[in-house]
Amino acid sequence: MTENVDPRPEQAEEVVGAEAAEASAPAAPAGGASGSAGQESLESFEQELEDEQDAVAHQAHHAQQAQQVQQGEATAQGEQPHPDTTLAAERLLDLQRLQAEYVNYKRRVDRDRAMVQERAVRDVLETLLPVLDDIHAAREHGDLQSGPFASIADKLEQTLTRFGLTRFGDVGEPFDPMRHEALMHTQAELPEGTTDTTVVTVLQPGYRAGEQVIRPARVAVADPQ
């Protein structure tokens, strides 16, 4: 009876080692590339690495199926598994573990990248809040009706709006401790039927980026009679 001979362990190790080295080799960055080009290069490298990992995982799945078939045939014939088959199974487990570690690493990198970007935008917006307060106060006093400074203020506010920055805090709003900071508690006549503590004066408007409050509105409130 002709006996099937599996590849030698040394050859399997060389193939696995070559594939691992090729998958983990980083691309050398271009010396004169700009920040935008560097980001595109990094994303391209991550995509290529992910494609290679998917291809290796696909090959590993087929290899596992073939090994299971061989083991089943050997068991049916009362034979012990070939040493090369056992070694290939161990290499497959190592590859699957490496694939799982890479997936978890990529998820952490994507999550951390989004958090860093959000934090950077919030820091810039917080730095500009005093300037926005001055612009808002000047408008309230009628100092920015027209002229070049009014145009500059409009452009600044429109630019910040693209990052999701919005102003909030109006007289008559129900007091919300998540959105308002009550600096004064006073007596005031509220509309008939009011049952909630209500904002009667806005001392300083609040700002939020998207749904995240950057600074609560500082207000004076009154309770219903």
Side-chain angles (χ1 to χ4, degrees):
M1 180 179 64
T2 303
E3 182 177 344
N4 294 330
V5 179
D6 293 330
R8 295 183 60 82
E10 295 80 4
Q11 295 176 346
E13 292 177 352
E14 292 175 0
V15 171
V16 173
E19 291 179 352
E22 181 179 357
S24 62
S34 63
S36 173
Q39 179 69 18
E40 293 178 357
S41 176
L42 177 60
E43 293 177 354
S44 176
F45 168 73
E46 290 180 349
Q47 184 62 41
E48 292 177 0
L49 181 58
E50 186 175 357
D51 292 341
E52 291 179 2
Q53 291 286 345
D54 291 341
V56 171
H58 186 68
Q59 295 175 358
H61 178 69
H62 286 289
Q64 184 180 24
Q65 290 181 336
Q67 290 168 9
Q68 291 175 350
V69 172
Q70 293 177 358
Q71 290 177 355
E73 293 177 351
T75 302
Q77 296 176 3
E79 300 176 356
Q80 293 294 330
H82 195 279
D84 291 348
T85 302
T86 302
L87 179 61
E90 294 176 355
R91 294 292 184 267
L92 177 60
L93 290 176
D94 292 340
L95 183 61
Q96 290 174 339
R97 183 165 53 253
L98 179 62
Q99 173 73 8
E101 291 176 355
Y102 168 75
V103 171
N104 292 333
Y105 163 77
K106 190 173 186 303
R107 287 175 180 171
R108 288 195 302 270
V109 168
D110 293 341
R111 180 195 61 201
D112 294 344
R113 180 184 300 164
M115 292 176 61
V116 168
Q117 290 176 346
E118 281 184 19
R119 185 59 193 175
V121 171
R122 180 173 177 177
D123 289 344
V124 173
L125 296 178
E126 286 180 349
T127 303
L128 292 174
L129 289 186
V131 178
L132 296 176
D133 288 337
D134 291 342
I135 292 175
H136 180 69
R139 279 208 177 95
E140 291 291 319
H141 290 84
D143 296 334
L144 286 178
Q145 297 294 334
S146 61
F149 289 107
S151 177
I152 293 173
D154 290 339
K155 289 180 180 179
L156 176 61
E157 290 179 334
Q158 291 173 3
T159 300
L160 296 179
T161 301
R162 299 175 186 174
F163 293 93
L165 183 70
T166 56
R167 183 189 298 115
F168 66 89
D170 295 315
V171 174
E173 291 181 345
F175 175 72
D176 182 357
M178 300 301 295
R179 302 174 63 247
H180 303 114
E181 181 181 355
L183 300 183
M184 296 177 58
H185 209 112
T186 185
Q187 297 291 332
E189 291 189 6
L190 302 178
E192 186 178 354
T194 301
T195 58
D196 298 323
T197 300
T198 305
V199 175
V200 294
T201 305
V202 178
L203 305 174
Q204 197 174 44
Y207 290 92
R208 65 170 175 258
E211 297 300 324
Q212 187 176 21
V213 175
I214 298 178
R215 188 187 71 191
R218 292 163 180 168
V219 299
V221 299
D223 293 326
Q225 300 297 330

